[in-house]
PDB file of all heavy atoms in Angstrom:
ATOM      1  N   LEU A1158      -7.392   5.763   7.182  1.00 73.00           N
ATOM      2  CA  LEU A1158      -6.807   4.468   7.487  1.00 73.00           C
ATOM      3  C   LEU A1158      -6.039   4.533   8.808  1.00 73.00           C
ATOM      4  O   LEU A1158      -5.648   5.589   9.271  1.00 73.00           O
ATOM      5  CB  LEU A1158      -5.875   4.038   6.357  1.00 73.00           C
ATOM      6  CG  LEU A1158      -6.498   3.959   4.961  1.00 73.00           C
ATOM      7  CD1 LEU A1158      -5.431   3.621   3.936  1.00 73.00           C
ATOM      8  CD2 LEU A1158      -7.630   2.941   4.916  1.00 73.00           C
ATOM      9  N   VAL A1159      -5.828   3.354   9.389  1.00 83.00           N
ATOM     10  CA  VAL A1159      -5.062   3.241  10.624  1.00 83.00           C
ATOM     11  C   VAL A1159      -3.670   2.725  10.257  1.00 83.00           C
ATOM     12  O   VAL A1159      -3.533   1.666   9.647  1.00 83.00           O
ATOM     13  CB  VAL A1159      -5.747   2.279  11.617  1.00 83.00           C
ATOM     14  CG1 VAL A1159      -4.900   2.120  12.865  1.00 83.00           C
ATOM     15  CG2 VAL A1159      -7.139   2.795  11.961  1.00 83.00           C
ATOM     16  N   ALA A1160      -2.635   3.491  10.600  1.00 85.00           N
ATOM     17  CA  ALA A1160      -1.268   3.147  10.197  1.00 85.00           C
ATOM     18  C   ALA A1160      -0.365   3.033  11.418  1.00 85.00           C
ATOM     19  O   ALA A1160      -0.426   3.865  12.322  1.00 85.00           O
ATOM     20  CB  ALA A1160      -0.721   4.198   9.242  1.00 85.00           C
ATOM     21  N   ARG A1161       0.458   1.989  11.420  1.00 88.00           N
ATOM     22  CA  ARG A1161       1.442   1.801  12.490  1.00 88.00           C
ATOM     23  C   ARG A1161       2.832   1.812  11.880  1.00 88.00           C
ATOM     24  O   ARG A1161       3.134   1.025  10.973  1.00 88.00           O
ATOM     25  CB  ARG A1161       1.188   0.480  13.215  1.00 88.00           C
ATOM     26  CG  ARG A1161       2.166   0.245  14.367  1.00 88.00           C
ATOM     27  CD  ARG A1161       1.793  -0.970  15.177  1.00 88.00           C
ATOM     28  NE  ARG A1161       2.788  -1.272  16.180  1.00 88.00           N
ATOM     29  CZ  ARG A1161       2.739  -2.332  16.996  1.00 88.00           C
ATOM     30  NH1 ARG A1161       1.704  -3.148  16.928  1.00 88.00           N
ATOM     31  NH2 ARG A1161       3.699  -2.552  17.881  1.00 88.00           N
ATOM     32  N   LEU A1162       3.686   2.727  12.337  1.00 89.00           N
ATOM     33  CA  LEU A1162       5.045   2.818  11.820  1.00 89.00           C
ATOM     34  C   LEU A1162       5.858   1.617  12.284  1.00 89.00           C
ATOM     35  O   LEU A1162       5.926   1.318  13.481  1.00 89.00           O
ATOM     36  CB  LEU A1162       5.697   4.114  12.296  1.00 89.00           C
ATOM     37  CG  LEU A1162       7.161   4.322  11.888  1.00 89.00           C
ATOM     38  CD1 LEU A1162       7.291   4.444  10.370  1.00 89.00           C
ATOM     39  CD2 LEU A1162       7.739   5.553  12.572  1.00 89.00           C
ATOM     40  N   ILE A1163       6.487   0.940  11.327  1.00 91.00           N
ATOM     41  CA  ILE A1163       7.347  -0.201  11.644  1.00 91.00           C
ATOM     42  C   ILE A1163       8.806   0.244  11.716  1.00 91.00           C
ATOM     43  O   ILE A1163       9.525  -0.084  12.665  1.00 91.00           O
ATOM     44  CB  ILE A1163       7.183  -1.319  10.594  1.00 91.00           C
ATOM     45  CG1 ILE A1163       5.734  -1.823  10.566  1.00 91.00           C
ATOM     46  CG2 ILE A1163       8.152  -2.467  10.880  1.00 91.00           C
ATOM     47  CD1 ILE A1163       5.473  -2.853   9.478  1.00 91.00           C
ATOM     48  N   ALA A1164       9.243   0.998  10.721  1.00 89.00           N
ATOM     49  CA  ALA A1164      10.645   1.442  10.686  1.00 89.00           C
ATOM     50  C   ALA A1164      10.773   2.618   9.733  1.00 89.00           C
ATOM     51  O   ALA A1164      10.021   2.706   8.751  1.00 89.00           O
ATOM     52  CB  ALA A1164      11.557   0.302  10.231  1.00 89.00           C
ATOM     53  N   PRO A1165      11.715   3.527   9.994  1.00 88.00           N
ATOM     54  CA  PRO A1165      11.965   4.605   9.028  1.00 88.00           C
ATOM     55  C   PRO A1165      12.652   4.052   7.784  1.00 88.00           C
ATOM     56  O   PRO A1165      13.348   3.036   7.844  1.00 88.00           O
ATOM     57  CB  PRO A1165      12.887   5.551   9.799  1.00 88.00           C
ATOM     58  CG  PRO A1165      13.571   4.673  10.800  1.00 88.00           C
ATOM     59  CD  PRO A1165      12.576   3.618  11.177  1.00 88.00           C
ATOM     60  N   VAL A1166      12.442   4.708   6.654  1.00 88.00           N
ATOM     61  CA  VAL A1166      13.074   4.296   5.400  1.00 88.00           C
ATOM     62  C   VAL A1166      13.655   5.537   4.726  1.00 88.00           C
ATOM     63  O   VAL A1166      12.910   6.416   4.275  1.00 88.00           O
ATOM     64  CB  VAL A1166      12.070   3.606   4.450  1.00 88.00           C
ATOM     65  CG1 VAL A1166      12.767   3.231   3.136  1.00 88.00           C
ATOM     66  CG2 VAL A1166      11.479   2.360   5.097  1.00 88.00           C
ATOM     67  N   ARG A1167      14.981   5.615   4.677  1.00 88.00           N
ATOM     68  CA  ARG A1167      15.634   6.739   4.008  1.00 88.00           C
ATOM     69  C   ARG A1167      15.647   6.519   2.497  1.00 88.00           C
ATOM     70  O   ARG A1167      15.469   5.412   2.001  1.00 88.00           O
ATOM     71  CB  ARG A1167      17.064   6.892   4.517  1.00 88.00           C
ATOM     72  CG  ARG A1167      17.150   7.315   5.980  1.00 88.00           C
ATOM     73  CD  ARG A1167      18.603   7.405   6.429  1.00 88.00           C
ATOM     74  NE  ARG A1167      19.249   6.092   6.443  1.00 88.00           N
ATOM     75  CZ  ARG A1167      20.554   5.916   6.610  1.00 88.00           C
ATOM     76  NH1 ARG A1167      21.359   6.952   6.753  1.00 88.00           N
ATOM     77  NH2 ARG A1167      21.058   4.687   6.628  1.00 88.00           N
ATOM     78  N   ARG A1168      15.858   7.595   1.763  1.00 90.00           N
ATOM     79  CA  ARG A1168      15.944   7.550   0.312  1.00 90.00           C
ATOM     80  C   ARG A1168      17.291   8.124  -0.118  1.00 90.00           C
ATOM     81  O   ARG A1168      17.789   9.068   0.476  1.00 90.00           O
ATOM     82  CB  ARG A1168      14.799   8.354  -0.317  1.00 90.00           C
ATOM     83  CG  ARG A1168      13.422   7.810   0.012  1.00 90.00           C
ATOM     84  CD  ARG A1168      12.350   8.875  -0.182  1.00 90.00           C
ATOM     85  NE  ARG A1168      12.253   9.296  -1.562  1.00 90.00           N
ATOM     86  CZ  ARG A1168      11.737  10.461  -1.938  1.00 90.00           C
ATOM     87  NH1 ARG A1168      11.326  11.339  -1.033  1.00 90.00           N
ATOM     88  NH2 ARG A1168      11.663  10.773  -3.223  1.00 90.00           N
ATOM     89  N   PHE A1169      17.865   7.528  -1.154  1.00 92.00           N
ATOM     90  CA  PHE A1169      19.187   7.926  -1.623  1.00 92.00           C
ATOM     91  C   PHE A1169      19.154   8.212  -3.120  1.00 92.00           C
ATOM     92  O   PHE A1169      18.465   7.526  -3.882  1.00 92.00           O
ATOM     93  CB  PHE A1169      20.211   6.810  -1.373  1.00 92.00           C
ATOM     94  CG  PHE A1169      20.490   6.525   0.069  1.00 92.00           C
ATOM     95  CD1 PHE A1169      19.749   5.572   0.758  1.00 92.00           C
ATOM     96  CD2 PHE A1169      21.492   7.203   0.749  1.00 92.00           C
ATOM     97  CE1 PHE A1169      20.001   5.302   2.092  1.00 92.00           C
ATOM     98  CE2 PHE A1169      21.758   6.941   2.079  1.00 92.00           C
ATOM     99  CZ  PHE A1169      21.010   5.985   2.758  1.00 92.00           C
ATOM    100  N   LEU A1170      19.943   9.204  -3.519  1.00 95.00           N
ATOM    101  CA  LEU A1170      20.222   9.402  -4.936  1.00 95.00           C
ATOM    102  C   LEU A1170      21.470   8.583  -5.239  1.00 95.00           C
ATOM    103  O   LEU A1170      22.475   8.685  -4.521  1.00 95.00           O
ATOM    104  CB  LEU A1170      20.457  10.883  -5.227  1.00 95.00           C
ATOM    105  CG  LEU A1170      20.123  11.333  -6.645  1.00 95.00           C
ATOM    106  CD1 LEU A1170      18.641  11.166  -6.908  1.00 95.00           C
ATOM    107  CD2 LEU A1170      20.561  12.764  -6.872  1.00 95.00           C
ATOM    108  N   VAL A1171      21.417   7.754  -6.300  1.00 96.00           N
ATOM    109  CA  VAL A1171      22.504   6.802  -6.532  1.00 96.00           C
ATOM    110  C   VAL A1171      22.967   6.821  -7.985  1.00 96.00           C
ATOM    111  O   VAL A1171      22.217   7.179  -8.903  1.00 96.00           O
ATOM    112  CB  VAL A1171      22.066   5.364  -6.156  1.00 96.00           C
ATOM    113  CG1 VAL A1171      21.605   5.298  -4.715  1.00 96.00           C
ATOM    114  CG2 VAL A1171      20.971   4.867  -7.084  1.00 96.00           C
ATOM    115  N   ALA A1172      24.213   6.392  -8.151  1.00 96.00           N
ATOM    116  CA  ALA A1172      24.789   6.202  -9.490  1.00 96.00           C
ATOM    117  C   ALA A1172      25.845   5.118  -9.402  1.00 96.00           C
ATOM    118  O   ALA A1172      26.410   4.862  -8.331  1.00 96.00           O
ATOM    119  CB  ALA A1172      25.399   7.501 -10.010  1.00 96.00           C
ATOM    120  N   ALA A1173      26.124   4.485 -10.519  1.00 96.00           N
ATOM    121  CA  ALA A1173      27.185   3.470 -10.568  1.00 96.00           C
ATOM    122  C   ALA A1173      28.541   4.164 -10.614  1.00 96.00           C
ATOM    123  O   ALA A1173      28.677   5.265 -11.156  1.00 96.00           O
ATOM    124  CB  ALA A1173      27.007   2.590 -11.799  1.00 96.00           C
TER     125      ALA A1173
END
Side-chain angles (χ1 to χ4, degrees):
L1158 303 176
V1159 177
R1161 181 173 174 183
L1162 177 64
I1163 299 176
V1166 178
R1167 293 178 293 170
R1168 298 159 64 202
F1169 294 91
L1170 207 64
V1171 303

